[in-house]
Amino acid sequence: MLEASGKYVLPITFHSFNEKILEQLKILNCAIFPIKYPDKVYRDCLIFSDLTQGAFCNDVLVGAIAVRLERQPGGKVQLYIITLGVLAAYRNYGVGTRLLERTLRKAVEDPNIEEAVLHVQTNNEEAIRFYGKFGFEVSQTIPGYYKKNRLDPPDAHILTKALQNSS
């Protein structure tokens, strides 16, 4: 589909997750990420299915954001982004941006969710830049975070974004 600006826009639809889509998410993540996530991670996504979203092009899952909510000391709740990925052939069409924006918009509607957080490998400059465009900042670096996954480098940044005004 061509926009008035002349830029091509993919015909993407978005859906919350259910059991059927969850199996597709597992396959998608295996194709994109070097980490094999345990089934419990995916089951947790079903609990927060309104925040976990899939992007479909012609009924094919081409991207997804998987999240969970985590209660922090003091009662604060954070949105933890487990994965956000788009198949290589569908990148640079705004699919990841739209997935992240939709999830953040929904999260802001809940006054209990005060921040969004994720881990990213320290050498993944593309992801760090991507999240930076949305106001995420490196809040901490964890040496050896990905050691058990045998990633090189094994270090991770924690990226954080405040979602609510602390008034």
Side-chain angles (χ1 to χ4, degrees), residues 13-17 21 49 52-56 59 61 99 102:
T13 57
F14 298 91
H15 298 284
S16 297
F17 275 74
I21 297 173
S49 64
T52 295
Q53 299 278 311
F56 293 81
D59 295 325
L61 183 65
L99 283 163
R102 290 171 61 86

Side-chain angles (χ1 to χ4, degrees), residues 28-29 32-33 62-65 83-87 91 95-96 99 131:
L28 178 84
N29 282 349
I32 296 173
F33 299 108
V62 298
I65 183 168
T83 62
L84 169 57
V86 177
L87 291 173
R91 292 181 189 152
V95 176
L99 283 163
Y131 286 107

Side-chain angles (χ1 to χ4, degrees), residues 29-94:
N29 282 349
C30 283
I32 296 173
F33 299 108
I35 296 172
K36 182 174 179 354
Y37 294 93
D39 283 342
K40 182 184 179 338
V41 168
Y42 294 105
R43 285 193 305 274
D44 287 350
C45 292
L46 285 177
I47 298 169
F48 309 108
S49 64
D50 57 330
L51 293 166
T52 295
Q53 299 278 311
F56 293 81
C57 184
N58 298 321
D59 295 325
V60 174
L61 183 65
V62 298
I65 183 168
V67 305
R68 67 176 174 247
L69 297 180
E70 299 176 340
R71 188 160 304 281
Q72 300 300 300
K76 182 167 76 168
V77 176
Q78 71 180 17
L79 173 80
Y80 181 74
I81 300 173
I82 303 164
T83 62
L84 169 57
V86 177
L87 291 173
Y90 295 89
R91 292 181 189 152
N92 300 311
Y93 292 104

Side-chain angles (χ1 to χ4, degrees), residues 86-140:
V86 177
L87 291 173
Y90 295 89
R91 292 181 189 152
N92 300 311
Y93 292 104
V95 176
T97 294
R98 290 162 59 193
L99 283 163
L100 183 59
E101 287 174 343
R102 290 171 61 86
T103 294
L104 292 177
R105 199 168 38 248
K106 276 202 166 289
V108 168
E109 292 172 4
D110 184 336
N112 296 310
I113 304 173
E114 295 185 7
E115 66 181 357
V117 177
L118 63 115
H119 289 85
V120 65
Q121 200 171 5
T122 55
N123 68 339
N124 191 342
E125 295 173 14
E126 183 180 2
I128 294 165
R129 271 193 310 275
F130 173 80
Y131 286 107
K133 289 190 282 186
F134 296 93
F136 284 82
E137 296 178 347
V138 175
S139 61
Q140 184 180 354

